[in-house]
Amino acid sequence: MSKKDNGASIILAYLNEKNRPYSAQDVFCNLQQQHGLGKTAVVKAMELLAVEGKIKEKIYGKQKIYFADQAQFKDVSDADLKAMDCQLAELSAEAQSLAQSCRQLDAELKELNSSLTTEEMISETQQLKEECSGYRARLQKIKSATSHVTPEEKEKVYKERDVYVKEWKKRKRLASDMINAILEGYPKSKKEFLDEVGVETDEDCKVVVPNP
């Protein structure tokens, strides 16, 4: 591109190729990155092209719109327009189908990326086999044990537990009643009294009376 040309040939080719209206700002934004054209140079080049009659200019209020000279293009018949409309519809349908396929492939790719690799699956399978083997050995050991608890022994343990729980609750209630009676004439707080006599409550030991 010569200095004298100042990008005019590039702009002319671009407008003829796109064959749609553009402002100078639009052309600058579309061509600046690829061709390095400055905005002032674009404005001057488009004004010059319009003066020379190579492109057309329309003014809408304060904005100028430029587009290719339509006289250079051959007339398009109604049949050609219909054919292009059909082609456009086919291409749009194909584009939608391709977009759907891309979304489906993306979903499949994400699923594959989140799945275990073959090596990871082999390692995890081996680990599960080892765990199952350990459970089998443990189960076999339990089945072969001779010291099983009989139902009668189990029932006896439960009955003894109930007796101890009831006695625990009874003694706790008696102790609580005695402490409350003493505290009626005691000048200090309940905590100070318990600390003084060295009594530890269930709460101090963080234990709870089990249900019978």
Side-chain angles (χ1 to χ4, degrees):
M1 182 179 66
S2 64
K3 292 182 179 180
K4 184 178 180 180
D5 180 86
N6 204 24
S9 60
I10 296 175
I11 295 172
L12 178 60
Y14 179 76
L15 291 178
N16 288 336
E17 177 190 357
K18 300 300 181 182
N19 193 20
R20 53 165 293 179
Y22 287 106
S23 67
Q25 178 66 31
D26 294 332
V27 174
F28 164 71
C29 293
N30 295 341
L31 298 180
Q32 187 270 337
Q33 185 173 1
Q34 182 178 359
H35 298 284
L37 300 177
K39 185 174 181 180
T40 302
V42 170
V43 172
K44 290 182 178 179
M46 296 184 75
E47 290 177 347
L48 177 62
L49 289 171
V51 170
E52 292 176 348
K54 295 180 180 179
I55 62 174
K56 297 299 181 180
E57 176 187 272
K58 290 287 185 180
I59 300 177
Y60 297 94
K62 296 182 179 181
Q63 187 172 18
K64 294 181 179 181
I65 300 298
Y66 300 91
F67 52 92
D69 183 7
Q70 300 301 301
Q72 64 182 309
F73 303 113
K74 66 178 182 178
D75 293 335
V76 181
S77 65
D78 291 341
D80 291 336
L81 287 174
K82 290 181 180 179
M84 285 188 284
D85 286 341
C86 291
Q87 185 180 11
L88 180 60
E90 291 175 359
L91 292 174
S92 297
E94 183 180 357
Q96 291 179 359
S97 177
L98 290 173
Q100 177 64 27
S101 298
C102 287
R103 287 193 291 269
Q104 184 176 352
L105 290 173
D106 285 340
E108 292 177 1
L109 179 60
K110 290 180 180 179
E111 184 177 354
L112 289 173
N113 288 335
S114 62
S115 301
L116 294 175
T117 64
T118 303
E119 292 76 10
E120 289 173 337
M121 293 179 68
I122 292 174
S123 176
E124 186 167 340
T125 301
Q126 182 61 32
Q127 183 178 351
L128 290 173
K129 286 181 178 179
E130 293 175 357
E131 290 180 3
C132 288
S133 178
Y135 290 140
R136 290 194 190 97
R138 184 179 176 186
L139 179 60
Q140 183 62 34
K141 184 177 180 180
I142 293 174
K143 288 181 177 180
S144 61
T146 57
S147 57
H148 292 300
V149 178
T150 64
E152 292 77 13
E153 291 174 329
K154 184 177 179 181
E155 182 67 21
K156 180 181 178 182
V157 170
Y158 278 129
K159 287 183 178 180
E160 290 179 351
R161 174 184 178 276
D162 291 340
V163 172
Y164 294 143
V165 170
K166 289 179 182 178
E167 188 66 22
W168 184 351
K169 290 183 177 180
K170 177 182 177 182
R171 295 190 180 192
K172 181 175 182 178
R173 184 173 59 255
L174 291 173
S176 179
D177 292 342
M178 291 174 60
I179 292 172
N180 290 334
I182 295 173
L183 288 174
E184 290 180 0
Y186 188 72
K188 299 180 182 180
S189 66
K190 180 177 180 179
K191 184 178 185 306
E192 291 174 318
F193 171 72
L194 295 177
D195 290 340
E196 185 175 335
V197 297
V199 175
E200 290 185 347
T201 64
D202 292 343
E203 292 73 16
D204 292 334
C205 298
K206 297 181 179 180
V207 294
V208 179
V209 180
N211 294 323

